[in-house]
Amino acid sequence: MSKREKIDFSDVQGICRFAHGRLTNAEFLLLKIKDVEVAKQWLSQAPVSTAESKSPVPETAMHIAFTATGLIKLGLSEQILSGFSEPFVSGMTAKNRSRRLGDVGNNSPSTWLWGGDDVASPDVLLMLYAAPEKLDGWQSEVMGMKFNQAFDLQHCLRTNDEVRTEPFGFADGISQPEIDWGQQQATDIHSRYTYSNLLALGEILLGYRNEYGEYTDRPLLESDLDALAKVLPRAEENPRLRDLGRNGSYLVFRQLEQDVDGFWRHLKGASDGDSNKMEALAEAMVGRRRDGSPLMSETPYSIPGVDKDKGINQFDFNADPGGLVCPVGAHVRRSNPRTGDYPPGNASFIKRLLSLFGFGKKSRSQDLIASTRYHRILRRGRQYGPVQNSSDYQRGLHFICLSANIARQFEFVQNAWIANAKFGGLQDETDPLLGNRQPLNNGSPTDRFSRPQKSGPAQCMRGIPQFVTVQGGAYFFLPGIRALKYIAETPFGTDGG
Ligand code: HEM
């Protein structure tokens, strides 16, 4: 096994380590490259924020990511590009992918404002963050330096400064995997028996061991053939090669519009106007209360004296297999079913081994939870639209997440958990917040949400309308700082290796 090198935070973009919570103002610029040479000059000088800890915390931050078409325009060869993962190369709207992601009906890419079928996909994503009142100044500073000569601004996706509560009114940004920056935890599946929120570095950053103890594919270059590749870090598993992926990540961006009025109107109707029932229904759909406290904890945080930190993330669904406390279909339970990699209780070594190799499973739900640690994502979204409810303006979430493997992480969560009408043994329902409500191919509905009751049949809400609509999206590569230098300096029009 090769030696694990210490992480060089100066080579990692800061967004991989920090959510920039204090930089409450942000905007995301979708750019088309206008002049490749000028764009390269601009990129080589761009003040990209790194993951180094700084004191005081800077008042601005900037990050850069590229689509596959952007990298080609900047001169990366087809051969290098083929080293990236297939979903990144073929894009979010590639054949069959839309169906798997639930991007059909009103979510179809043919209706998107950007990134869809009828609109050119962006080449570059520029993410700007700033402390209150500082964003305009930061944008002017960044956009100086021949910016307009280099790029056409396709869209400026603004956000509002509410970073804690999403538009439906629930606390957001709470549960995140804790990244194992120090690579302390074993990534060998045979040497770890317990579920942990600590996630292998290689699940988020390319070039490190992932939860399988392996390295995710990414472009590895021969520096004998490509002199510029010497700016890149060496590949950990093969130091002869230079690693274009190391310290980089894939960034998934989806503009998700939320029908806030429609959401609360429907819930009011379904609760016969009873505000307590309505609140309980909304909480059941999310799986947390508005204040962020999980339904799996008995007490809301809004009660004075309740320790907020305790239990905010330290819970699982072991004690609630049937979903009496938190419905199996609730958004947080679908998007991270938690629990262990192994069946609950003090299972023997043999039982664990059997479970590891897929034998001895008792139910579909155990099968589902067995794999949670391979499907974590690091969420970095921001919301847009007016903070107060207003039907005049569009509101929603610029959903952003980072992962080293788009297919196994984001796409799995979206497809196998969120959009799966049979998740955890359920029938005819998809994610109560995100579902597109399109019937399945066999005609079965997906517009239901069930809440099991202590006695009697489950309460089942039918005919739920669509509350969240996809308005745009793309897959990006967020390079490490040295990889960005390589991209900016690769001579345009040559094979690059
Ligand atoms: C408009 C769309 C969405 C809304 C309103 C929404 C809302 C929420 C809320 C309120 C929470 C609980 C607070 C927290 O743990 O941060 C949450 C958690 C989460 N969401 Fe979403 N979400 C949306 C889209 C998505 C999408 C598209 C995905 C992934 C494909 C996703 C994945 C997750 C995950 C992984 C968690 C954490 C679950 C856990 O570990 O407990 N969400 N979301």
Side-chain angles (χ1 to χ4, degrees), residues 92-112:
M92 188 180 276
T93 58
K95 199 167 168 248
N96 284 331
R97 183 156 289 122
S98 298
R99 186 185 45 78
R100 279 187 279 125
L101 296 180
D103 293 346
V104 292
N106 293 339
N107 286 352
S108 163
S110 61
T111 65
W112 290 5

Side-chain angles (χ1 to χ4, degrees), residues 28-278:
F28 306 122
L29 309 183
L30 300 171
L31 309 174
K32 293 297 290 178
I33 295 168
K34 190 155 66 175
D35 181 319
V36 178
E37 283 310 324
V38 186
K40 280 173 167 291
Q41 279 168 30
W42 187 89
L43 288 168
S44 63
Q45 290 162 26
V48 178
S49 310
T50 73
E52 294 158 291
S53 304
K54 294 202 170 123
S55 177
V57 175
E59 291 197 310
T60 56
M62 170 176 146
H63 300 295
I64 296 181
F66 303 91
T67 56
T69 48
L71 291 180
I72 296 247
K73 277 196 192 161
L74 288 166
L76 258 61
S77 65
E78 292 284 349
Q79 192 196 336
I80 294 181
L81 206 76
S82 66
F84 286 103
S85 72
E86 192 281 325
F88 169 70
V89 176
S90 59
M92 188 180 276
T93 58
K95 199 167 168 248
N96 284 331
R97 183 156 289 122
S98 298
R99 186 185 45 78
R100 279 187 279 125
L101 296 180
D103 293 346
V104 292
N106 293 339
N107 286 352
S108 163
S110 61
T111 65
W112 290 5
L113 302 174
W114 61 273
D117 297 343
D118 300 332
V119 270
S121 110
D123 296 325
V124 181
L125 168 67
L126 188 64
M127 308 165 85
L128 300 180
Y129 298 83
E133 318 287 326
K134 304 274 181 197
L135 189 61
D136 287 348
W138 181 222
Q139 196 207 56
S140 315
E141 203 179 308
V142 164
M143 284 191 155
M145 308 188 297
K146 292 191 179 172
F147 185 92
N148 293 327
Q149 229 178 299
F151 305 106
D152 276 324
L153 178 61
Q154 208 184 16
H155 283 281
C156 174
L157 304 177
R158 298 187 192 283
T159 69
N160 60 43
D161 57 4
E162 174 54 73
V163 288
R164 293 204 168 77
T165 310
E166 56 74 38
F168 291 143
F170 288 80
D172 200 5
I174 299 174
S175 171
Q176 298 278 24
E178 191 188 331
I179 311 303
D180 186 11
W181 295 106
Q183 301 180 76
Q184 305 294 323
Q185 181 171 257
T187 53
D188 178 346
I189 45 175
H190 299 284
S191 45
R192 187 142 72 82
Y193 298 120
T194 49
Y195 175 75
S196 147
N197 197 40
L198 196 62
L199 193 67
L201 188 52
E203 290 292 303
I204 301 299
L205 290 192
L206 294 161
Y208 298 88
R209 284 180 191 275
N210 59 26
E211 282 288 339
Y212 291 94
E214 288 169 7
Y215 294 91
T216 309
D217 290 343
R218 71 276 181 211
L220 300 179
L221 314 186
E222 303 258 3
S223 55
D224 296 350
L225 303 175
D226 177 0
L228 186 59
K230 290 200 176 72
V231 303
L232 298 171
R234 291 184 188 278
E236 209 171 63
E237 76 273 44
N238 186 351
R240 202 179 57 75
L241 299 174
R242 300 289 175 153
D243 191 342
L244 185 62
R246 187 159 167 110
N247 295 326
S249 186
Y250 290 112
L251 184 150
V252 174
F253 197 130
R254 283 163 77 80
Q255 181 172 345
L256 302 177
E257 190 163 309
Q258 295 175 243
D259 179 3
V260 179
D261 277 354
F263 177 79
W264 288 109
R265 204 171 41 243
H266 187 81
L267 267 56
K268 193 172 174 189
S271 314
D272 303 324
D274 179 325
S275 56
N276 289 336
K277 276 193 195 165
M278 178 178 82

Side-chain angles (χ1 to χ4, degrees), residues 274-317:
D274 179 325
S275 56
N276 289 336
K277 276 193 195 165
M278 178 178 82
E279 200 66 22
L281 177 56
E283 290 170 351
M285 290 165 84
V286 174
R288 287 187 186 260
R289 301 179 186 91
R290 282 196 198 227
D291 64 5
S293 55
L295 292 188
M296 294 308 295
S297 82
E298 278 171 19
T299 19
Y301 297 139
S302 37
I303 293 178
V306 172
D307 181 356
K308 199 170 172 163
D309 294 333
K310 204 172 145 225
I312 194 157
N313 265 325
Q314 291 164 336
F315 65 91
D316 58 39
F317 303 104

